[in-house]
């Protein structure tokens, strides 16, 4: 009796110690999952723990995770060896994937019976919870219906003992642990039941590892978005620094940041992180679309192939992240454009206000000067007609008269700038004004070796305007362009029509001007010419005339490339008029070149490149 009591105590101690060992193994598995290991690292470590703990000769883990089905095999020889592969899996009647291969071998039939629950519960080879185990792999198994399963199990070859333990990951995913030993009767029922607990712990660990991995990815993505928001809000940061900063934030947001690189392409400019990033075939991309136009791309590259235990190289959430980032970039650019447009409009308002103030001052000065100038002119003319006046005095009176007339012309131009001079408006055709004005300017263009190109729109609407003042606008703009051009350059005169306006465009390929000069070109008496070379009233007069007609004038210019002046005049209550006879613009345009070369050339392909403002001035008087 004492011996039996002692055996029971020993068995109890052994069972308790074994229970503790299995509990410790389960904790190690959960700890590994909580550590955030990758799928490959997790399977590698778990399989190594199990085979070393069990003492088996081989171990096989089969797992279904969504669309990914794989088998991980470990064998014990002189050292532990690992092998894994993705496999096609069988499905149950509902289409749910099973951790069984779709063949008819005895092992796979047993797998399907086991996972499907279609087994004989009275058989000693099945546990209460549905695991299969045997110490002699050749034994015959029976299904619940009594149908025999082929006992070949040849795929197991040299192994005698086998334990097949299913486990659940979640509602749609499951797995199977296969423990194999060359020894007969290697397992006991008690051990198999302990392994069942370990297997269920592994299912929980796999689900937890997946959830943690997904959470880490979401945190990285949110950190990327937060970093972009902080970057954009930095005061005074340039668009180039923003795009470079976004490129730096993208690789750490990817699942494999150590092999990631990012590139942002925008309007033929490139921003890379790291700077030496190379394009590979492992690529994820999203288009940068601004106002329905694709302006560039956001791209992420991996330098290596994806791990074999991943279904896809890039996560769907990573594609969503790139789409969001591309959308943010589009919004950032539109915001910058709006800010630039706002600043431009504010500058225009300030400039218009300055010109209005100058106009008021100019009108006051002009009115104050008109009366004394009239008196000087009158007395000079009377003195010149006096009898007995010496010839030298007569010549001096003539000089006084001419100087007074010139001063009065300056006063009149100031009044035009201030919109104080009355206009005699009638229906006119802009093309006719251009043709008549260029008639007097052709010879000067040819003399200076400047190529003059007409590009006049057909059926241009008539406008209500003062023809003499429009003629002065054309002459001042053309002479202004000529003074900034040299031999071999081109001067193009265009007319165009839009929905409610007509355009006069005077474009040259001359010297251009700086932004500082552009801002002052409509200020009276501002000039870039030498002393005595200009009054600084040519362009202010143009501005005054255009404004008095309810129009606008825009200037674009770039140093060493040329300038373009665009006059826009309204067509309210007007009608269309065909181009005057003899000036059909369906024919090749006429080109005027240097004197002595009057051969016409086709110039339909004239340049129409947007330029920046240009600062020059001239009056009609200078053109004569």
């Amino acid at each position: 009796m004492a011996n039996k009591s002692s055996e029971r105590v020993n068995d109890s101690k052994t069972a308790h110690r074994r229970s503790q060992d299995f509990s410790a193994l389960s904790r190690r598995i959960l700890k590994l999952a909580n550590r955030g290991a990758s799928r490959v690292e997790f399977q590698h470590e778990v399989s190594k723990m199990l085979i070393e703990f069990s003492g088996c000769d081989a171990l096989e883990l089969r797992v279904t995770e969504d669309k990914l089905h794989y088998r991980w095999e470990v064998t014990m020889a002189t050292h532990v060896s690992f092998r894994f592969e993705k496999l096609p899996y069988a499905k149950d009647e509902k289409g749910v994937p099973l951790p069984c291969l779709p063949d008819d071998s005895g092992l796979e039939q047993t797998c399907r019976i086991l996972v499907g629950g279609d087994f004989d519960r009275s058989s000693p080879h099945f546990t209460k919870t549905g695991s299969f185990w045997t110490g002699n792999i050749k034994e015959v198994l029976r299904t619940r219906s009594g149908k025999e399963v082929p006992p070949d199990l040849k795929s197991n070859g040299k192994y005698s003992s086998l334990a097949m333990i299913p486990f659940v990951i979640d509602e749609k995913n499951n797995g199977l642990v296969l423990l194999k030993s060359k020894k007969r009767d290697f397992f006991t029922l008690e051990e198999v039941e302990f392994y069942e607990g370990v297997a269920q712990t592994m299912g929980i660990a796999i689900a937890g590892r997946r959830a943690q991995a997904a959470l880490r990815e979401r945190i990285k993505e949110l950190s990327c978005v937060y970093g972009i928001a902080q970057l954009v809000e930095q005061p005074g940061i340039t668009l180039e620094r923003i795009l470079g900063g976004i490129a730096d934030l993208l690789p750490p947001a990817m699942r494999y940041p150590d092999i990631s690189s990012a590139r942002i392409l925008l309007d033929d400019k490139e921003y890379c992180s790291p700077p030496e990033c190379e394009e590979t075939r492992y690529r994820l991309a999203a288009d940068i679309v601004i106002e329905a136009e694709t302006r560039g791309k956001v791209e992420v590259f991996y330098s290596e192939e994806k791990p074999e235990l991943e279904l896809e190289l890039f996560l769907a959430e990573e594609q969503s992240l790139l789409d969001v980032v591309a959308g943010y970039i589009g919004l950032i650019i539109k915001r910058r454009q709006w800010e630039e447009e706002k600043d431009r409009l504010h500058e225009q308002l300030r400039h218009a206000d300055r010109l209005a103030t100058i106009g008021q001052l100019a009108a006051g000065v002009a009115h104050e000067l008109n009366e004394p100038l009239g008196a000087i002119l009158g007395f000079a003319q009377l003195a010149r007609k006096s009898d007995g006046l010496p010839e030298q005095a007569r010549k001096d009176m003539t000089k006084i008269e001419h100087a007074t007339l010139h001063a009065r012309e300056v006063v009149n131009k100031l009044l035009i700038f201030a919109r104080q001079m009355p206009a005699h408006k009638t229906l006119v055709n802009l093309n006719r004004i251009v043709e008549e004005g260029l008639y007097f300017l052709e010879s000067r263009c040819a003399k200076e070796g400047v190529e003059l190109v007409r590009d006049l729109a057909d059926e241009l609407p008539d406008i209500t305007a003062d023809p003499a003042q429009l003629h002065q606008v054309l002459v001042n703009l053309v002479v202004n362009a000529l003074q900034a051009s040299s031999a071999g350059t081109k001067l193009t005169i265009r007319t165009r029509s839009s929905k409610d306006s007509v355009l006069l465009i005077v474009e040259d390929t001359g010297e251009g001007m700086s932004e500082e000069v552009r801002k002052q070109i409509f200020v009276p008496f501002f000039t870039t010419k030498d002393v005595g070379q200009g009054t600084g009233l040519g362009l202010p007069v143009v501005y005054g005339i255009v404004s008095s007609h309810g129009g606008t004038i825009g200037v674009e210019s770039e140093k060493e490339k040329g300038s373009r002046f665009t006059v826009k005049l309204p067509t309210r209550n007007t009608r269309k008029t065909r181009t005057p006879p003899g000036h059909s613009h369906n024919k090749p345009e006429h080109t005027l070149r240097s004197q002595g070369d009057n051969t016409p050339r086709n110039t339909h392909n004239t340049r129409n490149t947007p330029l920046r403002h240009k600062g020059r001035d001239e009056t009609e008087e200078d053109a004569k």
Side-chain angles (χ1 to χ4, degrees):
M1 290 293 291
N3 289 337
K4 290 183 179 180
S5 177
S6 177
E7 289 176 1
R8 284 196 296 271
V9 170
N10 291 334
D11 290 342
S12 177
K13 289 182 179 179
T14 302
H16 179 70
R17 186 166 54 251
R18 185 173 297 170
S19 175
Q20 289 181 326
D21 292 341
F22 276 99
S23 296
L25 177 61
S26 297
R27 287 195 298 271
R28 289 173 61 194
I29 293 173
L30 291 173
K31 185 176 180 180
L32 177 63
N34 291 334
R35 197 177 70 193
S38 66
R39 180 184 283 114
V40 173
E41 182 183 0
F42 178 79
Q43 296 292 352
H44 184 278
E45 293 298 322
V46 166
S47 59
K48 184 178 180 181
M49 290 180 192
L50 285 175
I51 199 166
E52 290 177 349
F53 181 86
S54 66
C56 294
D57 295 305
L59 176 143
E60 185 177 334
L61 292 177
R62 297 184 182 183
V63 179
T64 66
E65 290 190 65
D66 298 324
K67 296 180 180 180
L68 179 64
H69 314 300
Y70 59 90
R71 174 170 63 184
W72 189 281
E73 289 185 295
V74 188
T75 56
M76 289 289 289
T78 55
H79 63 279
V80 181
S81 62
F82 301 89
R83 184 173 72 91
F84 62 91
E85 58 183 335
K86 288 188 289 188
L87 297 172
Y89 274 72
K91 297 182 179 180
D92 63 12
E93 296 176 354
K94 297 181 180 180
V96 177
L98 305 175
C100 309
L101 299 178
D103 61 49
D104 294 326
S105 66
L107 181 63
E108 300 310 322
Q109 289 190 55
T110 304
C111 176
R112 289 193 286 273
I113 291 171
L114 192 65
V115 177
D118 186 26
F119 56 86
D120 185 356
R121 294 185 180 274
S122 63
S123 170
H125 300 291
F126 291 95
T127 66
K128 294 178 181 180
T129 55
S131 298
F132 167 78
W133 66 286
T134 180
N136 183 1
I137 209 166
K138 303 299 182 182
E139 293 181 3
V140 176
L141 307 174
R142 291 182 179 276
T143 66
R144 184 178 298 169
S145 60
K147 180 181 178 181
E148 291 188 354
V149 175
D152 57 322
L153 300 178
K154 292 179 180 178
S155 61
N156 284 275
K158 54 189 175 183
Y159 302 110
S160 297
S161 296
L162 173 67
M164 301 174 67
I165 306 168
F167 61 89
V168 175
I169 298 174
D170 55 34
E171 294 179 354
K172 297 182 178 180
N173 299 292
N174 50 40
L176 185 69
V177 179
L178 288 84
L179 299 171
K180 306 173 185 178
S181 176
K182 297 176 183 178
K183 300 177 182 179
R184 293 190 60 174
D185 301 320
F186 183 76
F187 305 107
T188 65
L189 176 60
E190 183 181 28
E191 289 175 337
V192 173
E193 290 175 344
F194 275 122
Y195 284 123
E196 286 178 335
V198 172
Q200 298 309 318
T201 299
M202 189 159 59
I204 295 171
I206 291 174
R209 189 207 66 80
R210 291 176 58 199
Q212 286 197 24
L215 179 60
R216 284 194 303 274
E217 294 304 316
R218 299 301 81 74
I219 291 173
K220 289 194 292 184
E221 293 161 9
L222 290 174
S223 298
C224 176
V225 174
Y226 179 68
I228 293 173
Q230 287 186 311
L231 189 66
V232 172
E233 294 304 318
Q234 291 182 18
I237 189 169
T238 63
L239 180 61
E240 288 72 19
R241 284 186 58 196
I242 290 175
L243 296 178
I246 293 175
D248 291 337
L249 289 168
L250 284 173
M254 296 295 108
R255 182 162 45 163
Y256 304 113
D258 53 326
I259 59 171
S260 299
S261 60
R263 180 173 67 182
I264 297 175
L265 299 173
L266 180 67
D267 297 339
D268 299 326
K269 292 185 178 180
E270 185 176 286
Y271 307 87
C272 287
S273 179
E276 65 277 6
C277 69
E278 295 183 4
E279 183 173 346
T280 69
R281 60 192 181 98
Y282 312 119
R283 172 179 173 269
L284 191 67
D287 290 334
I288 300 173
V289 180
I290 303 172
E291 295 179 351
E293 179 186 359
T294 301
R295 298 268 298 274
K297 290 182 181 295
V298 179
E299 299 173 313
V300 171
F301 301 100
Y302 280 154
S303 58
E304 301 174 9
E305 175 64 281
K306 65 179 181 292
E308 292 189 40
L309 278 187
E310 301 295 348
L311 183 64
E312 299 290 344
L313 177 57
F314 293 101
L315 299 173
E317 291 80 3
E318 290 173 335
Q319 179 65 68
S320 299
L321 173 64
L322 255 63
D323 292 338
V324 169
V325 170
Y328 280 171
I329 292 174
L331 291 175
I332 291 167
I333 293 171
K334 285 201 287 187
R335 177 181 172 184
R336 287 300 175 100
Q337 290 175 343
W338 293 335
E339 290 175 349
E340 290 173 359
E341 180 67 12
K342 181 184 71 175
D343 293 341
R344 188 184 67 82
L345 292 175
H346 284 172
E347 177 60 26
Q348 285 184 351
L349 287 173
R350 288 191 293 269
H351 187 59
D353 183 64
R354 287 196 299 270
L355 290 177
T357 302
I358 294 171
Q360 292 173 358
L361 293 173
V365 170
H367 284 302
E368 291 296 328
L369 290 176
N370 257 339
E371 186 174 345
L373 286 175
I376 294 170
L377 180 62
F379 284 115
Q381 289 174 338
L382 287 174
R384 187 165 56 86
K385 295 178 181 179
S386 299
D387 296 332
L389 187 70
E391 185 61 26
Q392 183 60 44
R394 193 180 301 278
K395 290 180 179 179
D396 292 339
M397 289 298 104
T398 301
K399 291 179 180 179
I400 292 173
E401 184 179 344
H402 289 168
T404 305
L405 288 172
H406 177 71
R408 192 169 65 176
E409 181 66 22
V410 170
V411 168
N412 288 337
K413 289 178 179 178
L414 284 174
L415 290 173
I416 291 174
F417 168 74
R419 288 173 261 176
Q420 299 284 324
M421 291 290 288
H424 304 283
K425 296 183 179 180
T426 184
L427 279 179
V428 297
N429 183 266
L430 185 58
N431 282 347
R432 191 182 299 275
I433 297 292
V434 171
E435 292 288 2
E436 291 174 354
L438 292 182
Y439 175 80
F440 297 100
L441 296 166
E442 290 176 344
S443 59
R444 178 167 177 176
C445 291
K447 182 179 179 180
E448 297 187 11
V450 175
E451 182 181 355
L452 178 63
V453 179
R454 291 182 180 88
D455 182 9
L456 308 184
D458 201 8
E459 295 193 5
L460 201 66
D462 287 349
I463 58 174
T464 302
D466 185 324
Q469 290 188 359
L470 288 191
H471 178 267
Q472 185 171 8
V473 167
L474 174 69
V475 171
N476 285 12
L477 291 177
V478 170
V479 172
N480 184 67
L482 287 173
Q483 290 193 337
S485 301
S486 57
T489 57
K490 181 188 291 186
L491 173 61
T492 304
I493 313 299
R494 294 188 178 89
T495 58
R496 295 289 184 267
S497 64
S498 61
K499 183 178 179 181
D500 56 358
S501 61
V502 295
L503 304 179
L504 170 64
I505 303 168
V506 179
E507 182 178 356
D508 66 75
T509 58
E511 63 187 23
M513 62 178 164
S514 66
E515 184 69 11
E516 293 73 18
V517 171
R518 181 196 66 78
K519 292 179 179 179
Q520 302 181 73
I521 58 175
F522 295 123
V523 176
F525 304 112
F526 172 79
T527 180
T528 58
K529 303 181 182 71
D530 295 334
V531 176
Q533 297 297 312
T535 62
L537 286 172
L539 293 179
V541 165
V542 170
Y543 176 86
I545 293 173
V546 172
S547 298
S548 69
H549 284 73
T552 60
I553 181 168
V555 189
E556 300 168 283
S557 183
E558 187 173 346
K559 290 287 289 182
E560 309 303 330
K561 291 190 176 180
S563 301
R564 181 168 66 186
F565 288 76
T566 302
V567 175
K568 185 176 182 180
L569 298 169
T571 58
R572 296 185 296 270
N573 301 321
T574 60
R575 57 185 176 81
K576 286 187 177 181
T577 300
R578 283 190 170 274
T579 304
H583 297 290
S584 173
H585 303 296
N586 292 324
K587 294 185 272 183
E589 301 163 358
H590 296 290
T591 302
L592 298 179
R593 292 171 291 167
S594 59
Q595 194 170 6
D597 184 0
N598 298 317
T599 307
R601 292 187 295 177
N602 188 312
T603 59
H604 279 298
N605 296 324
T606 54
R607 183 173 61 86
N608 192 22
T609 305
L611 303 171
R612 300 290 301 172
H613 286 241
K614 179 172 189 174
R616 293 159 294 172
D617 57 88
E618 185 53 83
T619 65
E620 182 178 0
E621 212 170 74
D622 297 319
K624 296 178 182 178

